[in-house]
Amino acid sequence: MKSQDPMTDTHLSDTSFSQFDLPDSVRQGIEDAGFSRCTPIQALALPIALKGHDVAGQAQTGTGKTAAFLIAAFNRLLRDPAPAERKQNQIRALILAPTRELAIQIHKDAVTLGAHTGLKLGLAYGGTDYDKQRQQLVDGVDILIGTPGRIIDYFKQKVFDMRVVQVMVLDEADRMFDLGFIKDIRFLLRRMTPPTERQSMLFSATLSHRVMELAYEHMNNPEKVQTRDEQVTAQRVRQVVYYPANPEKIPLLLGLMKRIGPSRSMVFVNTKHMADKLEAWLKGNDIKVAVLSGDVPQQKRQRLLKQFENDEFQVLVATDVAARGLHIPDVSHVFNFDLPQSGEDYVHRIGRTGRAGAEGDAVSFACEDSAFYLPEIEQYIGFKIEAGAIDPELLVKPAPPAKREIRERLGAQNRGDRGGKRASPRRRREHT
């Protein structure tokens, strides 16, 4: 969890965590995390949540919402003891996230903030450690963090019980809709304690009609909060769009990387096929790169992310499955090699940079195949993105793509790889 320096973090509010009436064990966790002043969303949400009221908050990734709902959840569980008749497999709090990466990050932050509380944490997500995750629920946890698919799997097996849940958190609610999880969410909400008997917190990048409908249906008169200066895209992310012809995209990307020299960058594409192709070109031009897509096994995903954080490669090429929930510090640039099909995906892609008040750059290519997505994106974010001029010097003549990479990809395709197709909501769900 990234520490906050009260002298230099201008994105922080004037509200201090010391102003809140918190259990000593929670206060110690906040100090361990290096937090002193609240971010704007924390300053708005915590006074309401610490009184036990439900909250529906509009918050982008990287604004501190995770700490807000974790602190509120710890406060509720410590000051409102569990029923004496509570059984070992009955959880007290459920925190739902749309992606395994986000679930892992929430759990990591909870370990830090809750280190002195004595509360047991559980983590459940698809792709790995099925028996290990199952056993921890059998042994009993206070707070269960995870993705809907794996959690429903264990619930239907009666591995755990939700009849004494005191806190429910739904993170990135809008993404739950995008990935087709809303039926699963409603399934879980209808099987835990009634809204009047638990505290519920919902956070979303946008508090759209569909999100608020979910809030009013399954929460107890939630108070809606959003910062006054909240905008759809991070304030400190500089955005520019270029209009290359399709054959110019790779020369332009290489030229921009040569000119800018990004320290750590992510390049987003719309298909796995393009991710593999781009990886070969970048490697052929002496750029250390790795690919993160939906079919990468969970353990390898975690290893790649760790290597990226440790600067073992400069560029991470990713499909939209990696756009949300990833907390990678110090990403200086995000490149939309392919424009995404929706404004929401654009926002979450460029949200990988400019996190926690830092500055960042987002560079997009509106090419022949994707330029028609731009009007919807600009309508969603509320302004027109500045156009960049393509200087002929920017169009670097690339070296040939790495031949070994091409052979590996062709071999994978011959074995039945269908990477060229965009993942459907059903397939995305399978990877959570």
Side-chain angles (χ1 to χ4, degrees):
M1 182 173 285
K2 188 174 180 179
S3 63
Q4 299 170 339
D5 182 348
M7 300 303 293
T8 60
D9 278 347
T10 56
H11 70 290
L12 299 178
S13 71
D14 293 330
T15 303
S16 170
F17 284 103
S18 62
Q19 297 174 226
F20 299 126
D21 178 21
L22 294 168
D24 291 340
S25 58
V26 177
R27 196 175 300 281
Q28 183 61 56
I30 293 172
E31 292 178 7
D32 291 349
F35 294 171
S36 56
R37 286 189 289 145
C38 297
T39 65
I41 191 64
Q42 292 167 351
L44 287 174
L46 278 171
I48 299 168
L50 292 177
K51 292 178 182 178
H53 302 312
D54 288 6
V55 175
Q58 179 171 321
Q60 306 298 322
T61 58
T63 56
K65 60 184 171 61
T66 302
F69 64 68
L70 286 174
I71 290 169
F74 292 149
N75 177 75
R76 175 64 177 260
L77 298 185
L78 292 172
R79 291 188 163 163
D80 186 6
E85 64 276 13
R86 176 196 173 209
K87 298 177 182 178
Q88 181 170 293
N89 72 331
Q90 290 183 317
I91 62 171
R92 300 179 62 194
L94 179 64
I95 300 175
L96 293 168
T99 66
R100 50 194 174 190
E101 285 79 17
L102 181 55
I104 291 168
Q105 183 61 46
I106 293 170
H107 182 268
K108 181 180 178 181
D109 292 346
V111 169
T112 300
L113 287 170
H116 306 279
T117 63
L119 296 170
K120 293 182 180 180
L121 304 174
L123 180 61
Y125 56 89
T128 186
D129 295 337
Y130 187 89
D131 292 332
K132 180 180 178 182
Q133 294 176 13
R134 190 181 192 279
Q135 187 58 48
Q136 69 176 350
L137 294 179
V138 171
D139 295 339
V141 300
D142 296 295
I143 301 173
L144 175 57
I145 303 164
T147 54
R150 179 62 63 91
I151 286 177
I152 287 178
D153 184 358
Y154 292 140
F155 177 77
K156 288 184 175 179
Q157 295 182 48
K158 304 187 185 306
V159 176
F160 71 96
D161 186 289
M162 296 189 291
R163 285 176 290 184
V164 298
V165 164
Q166 297 165 274
V167 178
M168 185 281 295
V169 178
L170 185 59
D171 198 11
E172 294 200 355
D174 54 339
R175 189 59 166 168
M176 296 291 191
F177 280 96
D178 294 342
L179 294 179
F181 284 132
I182 290 306
K183 287 185 178 179
D184 292 343
I185 297 301
R186 287 195 165 102
F187 173 88
L188 291 168
L189 293 175
R190 288 167 179 160
R191 284 158 179 80
M192 63 178 66
T193 47
T196 54
E197 297 178 19
R198 66 169 190 261
Q199 182 176 14
S200 301
M201 290 172 277
L202 174 152
F203 289 89
S204 179
T206 56
L207 292 177
S208 62
H209 174 74
R210 62 181 185 176
V211 171
M212 290 310 299
E213 183 180 43
L214 183 72
Y216 291 134
E217 181 182 356
H218 294 285
M219 299 173 71
N220 183 26
N221 297 319
E223 292 194 40
K224 180 180 176 181
V225 297
Q226 66 183 87
T227 55
R228 284 183 300 172
D229 59 350
E230 181 77 52
Q231 63 182 51
V232 176
T233 56
Q235 292 185 12
R236 297 194 178 192
V237 178
R238 295 175 290 269
Q239 301 172 58
V240 63
V241 59
Y242 292 92
Y243 295 86
N246 285 353
E248 294 177 329
K249 291 176 70 177
I250 288 174
L252 179 59
L253 179 63
L254 293 172
L256 287 169
M257 287 187 169
K258 182 178 179 181
R259 176 177 290 187
I260 297 169
S263 56
R264 184 181 297 166
S265 60
M266 297 186 69
V267 180
F268 283 100
V269 294
N270 289 346
T271 66
K272 180 181 180 296
H273 174 72
M274 181 54 72
D276 294 339
K277 180 180 177 181
L278 193 54
E279 179 190 23
W281 276 104
L282 292 175
K283 285 189 174 182
N285 285 268
D286 299 323
I287 294 177
K288 294 181 179 179
V289 60
V291 169
L292 190 64
S293 56
D295 63 342
V296 176
Q298 182 62 32
Q299 291 184 347
K300 184 177 179 181
R301 290 163 72 92
Q302 295 305 116
R303 185 175 73 251
L304 287 176
L305 293 174
K306 190 66 176 177
Q307 290 174 328
F308 191 42
E309 290 186 30
N310 293 337
D311 297 321
E312 294 182 33
F313 50 87
Q314 305 159 257
V315 179
L316 183 64
V317 177
T319 55
D320 278 318
V321 72
R324 298 197 185 211
L326 294 183
H327 175 67
I328 303 171
D330 305 322
V331 172
S332 62
H333 290 73
V334 166
F335 294 90
N336 285 306
F337 188 81
D338 298 325
L339 274 181
Q341 296 182 16
S342 72
E344 290 185 5
D345 283 339
Y346 175 83
V347 167
H348 286 281
R349 284 183 181 188
I350 73 170
R352 300 315 98 202
T353 187
R355 297 178 68 81
E359 294 185 348
D361 288 273
V363 180
S364 299
F365 293 175
C367 66
E368 301 164 38
D369 294 331
S370 63
F372 53 88
Y373 298 139
L374 189 59
E376 180 186 338
I377 291 171
E378 291 179 331
Q379 182 180 11
Y380 183 81
I381 64 178
F383 61 89
K384 189 173 181 62
I385 304 171
E386 179 185 352
I390 301 179
D391 186 332
E393 295 181 0
L394 272 179
L395 300 176
V396 170
K397 183 178 180 180
K403 293 182 179 180
R404 187 182 68 177
E405 290 296 322
I406 291 178
R407 286 199 299 269
E408 288 177 354
R409 302 310 173 196
L410 288 175
Q413 290 173 11
N414 290 336
R415 291 191 297 270
D417 179 16
R418 299 189 179 186
K421 294 185 178 180
R422 186 166 187 174
S424 66
R426 178 183 293 274
R427 176 160 183 185
R428 290 184 190 177
R429 173 176 168 181
E430 290 171 354
H431 291 292
T432 60

